[in-house]
Amino acid sequence: MAIHKPNPLVPVLETKRTILRGHTVDDYPDSHAMWSEEIVVKHISGVPSTESESWERLLRYSGLWQMMKYGFWLVEEKSTGHFLGEVGFANYKRDITPSLDDLPEVGWVFAPSAHGKGFASEAVAEAIKWGDANLPENKTVCIFDPEHARSIKTATKNGYTKRGIADYMGGPTLVMERTNPNHAS
């Protein structure tokens, strides 16, 4: 298989243990494998992604950077190059009540092999640092299944506080928000 280069619009970010970079076509198998895991999707959709859904997600990641000037990064372990997960910002124009007010929504998902090792907190912190320096909005939001304790803990560690419970896809959804400390009130 040909090696594809990451999208040049996506900045490369580094933490002590990870590299956040743009997705390539070659990342599809790892991304699809992760999104096919029941433990990964349990608190997201509850349904493992099909090959087509995973492919569409990969294309959406690239399109976000093109259209919104922000999007998702692939997260890999710096020392091994192993795929860990995905983290970034989006505006999905969700049918959620109350509205997310078109604010950038930070999100993350990690492969089971990366769970419980602090990779999510580390990569999310770096993505938020980038967002603080580059997003024009004063706030960002994130949404979760109210039962998803691990993601709520990661969000809280990174400065997110409860905004409220919203109705999304017929169920309760926790909405958290964070104010960018670099913006004047």
Side-chain angles (χ1 to χ4, degrees), residues 9-48:
L9 298 175
V10 185
V12 175
L13 309 177
E14 290 190 33
T15 71
K16 183 178 178 183
R17 301 181 300 152
T18 68
I19 295 175
L20 286 68
R21 63 166 176 81
H23 289 77
T24 72
V25 170
D26 300 317
D27 297 318
Y28 169 75
D30 288 329
S31 182
H32 175 60
M34 176 185 65
W35 283 99
S36 298
E37 293 275 353
E38 287 188 22
I39 191 168
V40 170
V41 300
K42 178 181 177 182
H43 293 290
I44 300 171
S45 67
V47 179

Side-chain angles (χ1 to χ4, degrees), residues 84-173:
L84 297 174
E86 299 163 339
V87 62
F89 296 95
N91 180 344
Y92 292 126
K93 301 277 186 196
R94 294 186 190 273
D95 293 324
I96 189 168
T97 305
S99 167
L100 298 178
D101 303 320
D102 275 334
L103 292 171
E105 177 186 334
V106 68
W108 56 88
V109 60
F110 282 79
S113 63
H115 290 183
K117 297 177 181 174
F119 288 119
S121 292
E122 187 174 326
V124 170
E126 190 66 21
I128 291 168
K129 181 177 158 186
W130 179 90
D132 285 349
N134 293 281
L135 296 173
E137 291 81 4
N138 186 39
K139 291 184 180 189
T140 56
V141 294
C142 51
I143 67 170
F144 306 105
D145 174 339
E147 303 295 316
H148 196 354
R150 276 190 163 167
S151 280
I152 294 167
K153 182 178 177 182
T154 298
T156 302
K157 248 190 223 184
N158 282 286
Y160 284 84
T161 59
K162 183 177 177 179
R163 179 177 179 181
I165 298 292
D167 178 40
Y168 181 59
M169 298 180 69
T173 299

Side-chain angles (χ1 to χ4, degrees), residues 52-71:
S52 176
E53 290 165 338
S54 293
W55 179 247
E56 290 168 3
R57 184 178 296 107
L58 192 72
L59 297 175
R60 187 169 52 237
Y61 289 158
S62 183
L64 280 164
W65 285 102
Q66 186 69 36
M67 301 293 290
M68 304 300 295
K69 308 301 182 227
Y70 58 80

